[in-house]
Amino acid sequence: MNKEMAQVLTQTGPDTAMGNLLRRYWVPIVSSEEIALPDGPQVKTQIMGEHLVVFRDTQGEVGVVSEFCSHRGVSLFFARNEEGGLRCAYHGLKFNRHGHCIEVPSAPEMCSKMNIKAYPCIEQAGLVWAYMGPPEFQPAPPELEWSTLPASHVFISKREQECNFLQAMEGGIDTAHVSYVHRFEVDRDPMHVGTEALKYIKADGNVIFTIEKTDFGLTLFGRRNADEAHYYWRITQFIFPWYTLIPPFGHHALGGHLWVPKDDHHCWAWSINFHHDKPLSDQEVKDMADGKGIHVQYEAPGSFRPKQNMDNDYLMDRKAQKNKETFSGVFGISMQDASLQESMGPIQNHDEEKLLPTDRAIVMARRMLYEAAINLQEHPDALPALQPQSHHVRAAGVILPKSVDPLTWSKENLAGGLDRPLYTI
Ligand code: FES
Ligand SMILES: [Fe+2]
């Protein structure tokens, strides 16, 4: 990828081409439980280079506002959350969830001039989502399958990843790597173990992709050999601009990710598991909370930095690597991915990469994002996945006779939304 394209794709701050594109979509900011209580503790976070404070006001409504007081720039992380707003700890200016300044104790007449930035937000699927783009383009709320299910059916965790969102997200698009880095982990992991899928994934590491461009992004059809007469197809989706779905593993919960830039050198990696038709079992929830499957353990309570991180070489275990307990020496599916993606540097040097045929989906995703970002001014409405109905897609895993075209099969068996049967082995 040339320098100019790499720069466009990896720079997401305010007034960058990619930043403007990403801000046209609803952005997951924090989980609702981080700000569970009205007038409870606010949290600070960073999204696409912007410092934000998120709080639940006296009425229980959520505010997503600029972190810094309009007076002399003090962080509202230190503010008092009380009586319908945040009161800056320094000189007592007060802001409501719309960012309006509602009190300037020393100069009440200045109130209307002291507003801070605030973003419209919604709560859905246990997350606080904000819309950070131009008001005239605010889209309808997302309708990804996991974002519309009852809370009992869904488990979501978040972790901080120390690299640009693009190279992290590309790991979610690139399902070819499962045959390698996750090879041994999946035999033990409770969210993957005991499925027929693994037999084919392991036997055939040479996945061949057919990729279809759609109104939401891309559908990837990954082909592996099953037997003489059949292929095993893993069908998965990249939904604009940062969602990936994981091909299913037997009866286990479905999964997906989303990757939001924190700044250009860090991202928020959200990991989602769900059953489309029933609650998660207590055991599944326990396993996920313990960091199994695509979830992780954390460095400290309240921290989103994983316990395995670059400062401790991700708790690399060379003996386990030698003994084929873990392919790379790192344990845990998400930390296997994160360790490799962080090892590329905060922003991968795209000048040096030499792409292979298995990277075709990544190339297409990059191209779609780049073109949408560059053309945003001239074609502000021609963006994929702005219509929530377009999110109604589900990953699948299916064995088909070699003569069957998977695109035709998927039009007949998957199209038309989420009311279709789940295809999984
Ligand atoms: S800096 Fe916030 S009130 Fe003075
Ligand atoms: Fe992975």
Side-chain angles (χ1 to χ4, degrees):
M1 177 158 62
N2 70 44
K3 257 199 176 59
E4 187 264 340
M5 186 172 175
Q7 268 178 11
V8 167
L9 289 174
T10 55
Q11 295 180 359
T12 64
D15 301 322
T16 58
M18 194 63 187
N20 288 339
L21 172 68
L22 297 177
R23 283 169 176 76
R24 291 288 308 278
Y25 295 84
W26 284 98
V27 189
I29 304 287
V30 296
S31 71
S32 291
E33 68 182 19
E34 290 177 63
I35 45 152
L37 297 176
D39 288 344
Q42 64 273 40
V43 296
K44 58 180 172 174
T45 189
Q46 209 183 336
I47 302 285
M48 294 187 272
E50 296 187 45
H51 293 265
L52 303 171
V53 160
V54 189
F55 69 105
R56 193 177 298 279
D57 73 7
T58 314
Q59 263 66 51
E61 303 290 341
V62 177
V64 176
V65 301
S66 163
E67 182 183 339
F68 305 110
C69 177
S70 53
H71 176 214
R72 276 167 44 206
V74 159
S75 170
L76 295 172
F77 179 65
F78 299 96
R80 298 181 63 81
N81 181 15
E82 58 189 15
E83 293 159 11
L86 293 178
R87 185 184 295 283
C88 179
Y90 214 10
H91 313 93
L93 267 69
K94 186 165 182 181
F95 306 93
N96 68 14
R97 69 188 174 91
H98 303 295
H100 298 153
C101 180
I102 50 175
E103 237 183 290
V104 180
S106 61
E109 70 284 2
M110 291 295 288
C111 231
S112 63
K113 296 195 170 57
M114 305 300 277
N115 295 344
I116 55 174
K117 193 186 272 183
Y119 293 115
C121 55
I122 53 172
E123 286 189 274
Q124 189 178 310
L127 305 182
V128 174
W129 313 59
Y131 175 69
M132 300 168 71
E136 65 273 26
F137 292 123
Q138 183 176 319
E143 292 186 17
L144 297 128
E145 182 167 39
W146 57 262
S147 77
T148 58
L149 293 169
S152 57
H153 294 36
V154 188
F155 184 95
I156 303 180
S157 69
K158 128 177 134 173
R159 63 182 164 79
E160 191 178 342
Q161 186 162 330
E162 300 180 55
C163 69
N164 186 270
F165 93 107
L166 184 74
Q167 68 207 51
M169 182 170 76
E170 287 175 350
I173 296 173
D174 156 31
T175 59
H177 74 265
V178 179
S179 295
Y180 296 93
V181 67
H182 305 315
R183 189 174 193 86
F184 304 130
E185 187 82 27
V186 286
D187 289 335
R188 278 189 316 273
D189 182 75
M191 313 296 301
H192 293 81
V193 74
T195 55
E196 200 185 342
L198 291 177
K199 183 171 88 188
Y200 303 116
I201 290 171
K202 290 182 164 214
D204 186 359
N206 185 25
V207 57
I208 295 170
F209 285 104
T210 303
I211 300 154
E212 186 187 27
K213 215 166 153 179
T214 66
D215 58 351
F216 57 80
L218 299 174
T219 303
L220 283 65
F221 300 83
R223 191 187 88 190
R224 288 178 170 88
N225 288 316
D227 59 35
E228 288 288 283
H230 296 84
Y231 289 127
Y232 171 44
W233 290 95
R234 286 170 71 70
I235 303 170
T236 186
Q237 293 87 0
F238 159 58
I239 302 171
F240 236 62
W242 41 39
Y243 304 99
T244 55
L245 298 179
I246 301 171
F249 287 87
H251 61 286
H252 295 301
L254 294 167
H257 288 291
L258 80 109
W259 322 86
V260 177
K262 178 182 181 190
D263 58 25
D264 292 344
H265 290 176
H266 301 81
C267 65
W268 298 110
W270 295 86
S271 300
I272 302 120
N273 279 121
F274 61 100
H275 286 303
H276 71 292
D277 57 353
K278 62 180 180 191
L280 295 163
S281 71
D282 292 348
Q283 187 63 46
E284 284 176 313
V285 172
K286 182 182 179 307
D287 288 338
M288 292 186 253
D290 284 347
K292 300 287 195 283
I294 53 175
H295 307 279
V296 300
Q297 293 184 342
Y298 298 98
E299 197 173 37
S303 162
F304 295 102
R305 191 177 197 224
K307 183 169 139 190
Q308 299 159 264
N309 56 58
M310 61 172 69
D311 294 340
N312 56 28
D313 284 334
Y314 309 90
L315 305 178
M316 160 84 69
D317 184 337
R318 289 292 186 204
K319 205 167 139 212
Q321 185 179 28
K322 187 63 98 187
N323 293 341
K324 299 191 173 174
E325 291 168 54
T326 149
F327 200 76
S328 67
V330 172
F331 282 101
I333 289 170
S334 276
M335 291 321 301
Q336 287 163 354
D337 287 327
S339 56
L340 302 186
Q341 293 154 7
E342 291 179 0
S343 78
M344 299 165 168
I347 301 181
Q348 183 198 343
N349 181 356
H350 294 96
D351 268 358
E352 299 273 312
E353 69 184 2
K354 297 185 175 73
L355 297 178
L356 295 170
T358 52
D359 298 317
R360 274 189 48 231
I362 290 173
V363 171
M364 283 178 74
R366 288 178 180 175
R367 173 67 47 195
M368 275 184 97
L369 287 164
Y370 175 79
E371 285 174 359
I374 292 297
N375 297 330
L376 191 61
Q377 298 283 24
E378 297 96 89
H379 304 289
D381 289 318
L383 296 180
L386 280 182
Q387 300 303 328
Q389 296 84 345
S390 70
H391 305 164
H392 297 185
V393 291
R394 185 189 290 148
V398 64
I399 292 179
L400 297 174
K402 286 191 172 172
S403 58
V404 173
D405 171 28
L407 276 77
T408 310
W409 180 87
S410 96
K411 282 198 177 47
E412 284 162 8
N413 294 279
L414 300 179
L418 301 170
D419 301 328
R420 295 303 187 93
L422 169 64
Y423 289 92
T424 180
I425 62 164

